[in-house]
Amino acid sequence: MFSRSQIWGSFVGLGLLLGTASAQMPHEMPSEIAPTNQFRRIEQPLGLRVGVTLGGIALIGLELWWFLLSKTKAQQAEAHQGIQELTITVDGGYQPDRIVVKANQPVRLNFLRRDPSSCLEKVLFPDFHIAQDLEVDRVTSVEFTPANPGQYQFTCGMNMFRGVVEVK
């Protein structure tokens, strides 16, 4: 296993390492730090204060628009031999992410996955009890028949990317 000389050599090396490390550390800590009870006011130009405030309001407005008001345009699935069909590109999300179909007609969504990230390796349709693995650079079909009108969400495996199937 280990010889006595290797074990003693390890202890000596560890002792030297700790000795040099402690020699470099300060041994005395200041006993008291003088408390300060006053803050110094920093004057800033009025233009700078107004600019920072307007920039913050603009960024808040942009964030609200992005998450609440920006909706992508829905795309209608095309009927081929009685099946409503549409190809969805999976690359950093779903494109298109809003699909319009008719109720009581079979739907085939063809997912073409370009993004190799692990988040997008699966698509879930919880309302239809569908979980389908998507292979990179391959088209994977998901088929279902929606019975009732409404909006049905589909997501990636980690629920980070979403899309909606709108049934009319």
Side-chain angles (χ1 to χ4, degrees):
M1 205 141 93
F2 291 109
S3 67
R4 281 189 181 186
S5 62
Q6 287 177 329
I7 293 173
W8 280 108
S10 297
F11 280 128
V12 170
L14 183 62
L16 288 173
L17 180 69
L18 291 175
T20 57
S22 66
Q24 294 175 357
M25 294 179 63
H27 293 288
E28 292 182 21
M29 298 295 279
S31 61
E32 217 176 287
I33 298 176
T36 58
N37 294 332
Q38 301 226 347
F39 292 101
R40 200 172 58 145
R41 185 174 182 90
I42 299 174
E43 291 296 326
Q44 297 176 350
L46 179 63
L48 181 63
R49 288 190 279 176
V50 170
V52 168
T53 302
L54 290 177
I57 291 171
L59 288 174
I60 290 170
L62 179 65
E63 186 175 338
L64 289 173
W65 172 81
W66 180 265
F67 288 107
L68 300 177
L69 303 175
S70 69
K71 289 193 176 182
T72 57
K73 190 175 179 182
Q75 190 166 345
Q76 178 79 36
E78 297 178 11
H80 298 284
Q81 301 172 353
I83 298 176
Q84 302 174 85
E85 193 168 8
L86 185 68
T87 299
I88 299 171
T89 304
V90 182
D91 193 6
Y94 300 108
Q95 186 59 36
D97 61 353
R98 297 184 63 79
I99 296 106
V100 178
V101 297
K102 295 177 184 173
N104 298 317
Q105 291 183 5
V107 175
R108 180 184 300 138
L109 298 177
N110 300 314
F111 289 88
L112 174 59
R113 181 176 170 211
R114 298 280 187 210
D115 192 336
S117 68
S118 62
C119 180
L120 292 166
E121 66 187 9
K122 184 175 281 205
V123 65
L124 305 172
F125 288 84
D127 295 316
F128 300 108
H129 305 290
I130 297 173
Q132 183 70 47
D133 291 329
L134 304 176
E135 294 184 35
V136 179
D137 293 326
R138 297 240 168 115
V139 175
T140 306
S141 296
V142 174
E143 296 183 5
F144 57 94
T145 303
N148 300 320
Q151 292 192 355
Y152 301 96
Q153 192 172 36
F154 61 94
T155 66
C156 69
M158 296 179 186
N159 202 21
M160 293 173 60
F161 298 100
R162 298 177 184 91
V164 174
V165 175
E166 186 178 338
V167 180
K168 293 189 175 189

